[in-house]
Amino acid sequence: MPPDADVQGTIRNLIRRLRFDHGEMTQQELAVRVGVTRQTIIALEAGKYVPSLLLAFRLARAFGVSVEGVFQYHDGEPSSSAVKVQDGK
Amino acid sequence: MNASQKEAWFNLVVVLSALVMVAALVPFLGKGAMGGFGLLGFLGLSPVFFRKRHGAVVVDERDTQIRLRSQFCAHLVFWLLFLLAAMTAPAVYGWNGSVPVALVMASVWCGWVVLVGVMSLATLIQYGRGGHDAA
């Protein structure tokens, strides 16, 4: 087990802002574009769900940005809209 | 509400209806009341909720994850109850006693009810935590 295996971090995303920056794209439009249900977009925006790498790339491509342009990893205390992740799990 | 949530609600209603039906029939039919579990046959209709419409996505990776976790919860509860029943049987029937055939049959039905019921509940709880529909 690596020494930092218990380090907790959070993943935040800019999906909501990117949607509005792209002509006020609706959640449904984005969902259809990336091949998920609207509920999944809602969960993503609410920070309740961390997508797979494949979906992360699809989202990034839908907005024409890199994955880091959509998702950011932060060390330390989580905010209410960020999803907690634990390294190695 | 997506297809998985609708299926979970439907399954929960079917399971509860079957339980109510059996409970209502027991005073009149005794062991024959287990026929009320026949209502569980309606569970076979649940694939209706997953019909594709105009190429819309019905199930995605999050739904699959939720389903897998729900199945895990349901099997965990099922096996815990199964172990509990097996361990308490000697206390009820004695080490050399015999379990009534009707009880064995009822345990199969109840096992199915537990699996479907817990899975549906776990599904609904997980979707409830996943954020509500935004305007």
Side-chain angles (χ1 to χ4, degrees):
Chain A
M1 184 185 289
D4 62 346
D6 290 331
V7 173
Q8 281 204 341
T10 57
I11 290 179
R12 291 176 192 153
N13 69 70
L14 303 170
I15 294 173
R16 189 185 296 263
R17 208 186 77 193
L18 286 165
R19 273 198 305 113
F20 284 99
D21 290 348
H22 284 73
E24 301 201 356
M25 187 191 294
T26 64
Q27 290 171 331
Q28 185 61 41
E29 284 168 355
L30 178 60
V32 169
R33 201 175 282 196
V34 298
V36 297
T37 60
R38 182 169 159 260
Q39 280 79 8
T40 297
I41 300 297
I42 293 165
L44 281 166
E45 288 187 357
K48 305 274 187 187
Y49 176 63
V50 178
S52 68
L53 201 52
L54 188 67
L55 179 54
F57 274 103
R58 276 197 209 135
L59 285 162
R61 185 163 290 186
F63 292 124
V65 296
S66 65
V67 173
E68 291 86 351
V70 185
F71 297 95
Q72 282 115 35
Y73 176 79
H74 296 273
D75 287 327
E77 287 299 306
S79 70
S80 59
S81 64
V83 182
K84 270 191 259 183
V85 291
Q86 196 158 13
D87 292 352
K89 290 189 178 176
Chain B
M1 194 183 289
N2 66 16
S4 300
Q5 284 172 294
K6 286 177 192 166
E7 185 208 25
W9 276 116
F10 175 75
N11 288 352
L12 203 58
V13 168
V14 169
V15 160
L16 290 177
S17 303
L19 286 176
V20 168
M21 176 73 88
V22 170
L25 290 177
V26 163
F28 307 105
L29 300 176
K31 288 168 187 160
M34 274 192 283
F37 281 120
L39 280 179
L40 293 176
F42 281 107
L43 293 174
L45 296 175
S46 58
V48 167
F49 297 108
F50 295 97
R51 277 179 310 178
K52 277 203 165 188
R53 270 161 277 153
H54 307 299
V57 176
V58 182
V59 175
D60 63 20
E61 60 175 46
R62 178 169 167 259
D63 300 315
T64 307
Q65 274 186 19
I66 286 176
R67 177 174 284 268
L68 287 174
R69 277 196 295 258
S70 301
Q71 283 174 345
F72 175 78
C73 285
H75 283 92
L76 186 71
V77 172
F78 172 83
W79 280 107
L80 283 175
L81 291 176
F82 179 78
L83 273 177
L84 193 69
M87 301 300 269
T88 53
V92 178
Y93 295 103
W95 286 104
N96 295 313
S98 53
V99 177
V101 173
L103 187 66
V104 176
M105 201 171 153
S107 65
V108 172
W109 289 115
C110 290
W112 195 12
V113 164
V114 166
L115 276 173
V116 175
V118 173
M119 192 175 153
S120 302
L121 274 177
T123 298
L124 293 172
I125 289 169
Q126 287 180 82
Y127 278 111
R129 285 181 185 164
H132 299 285
D133 286 9

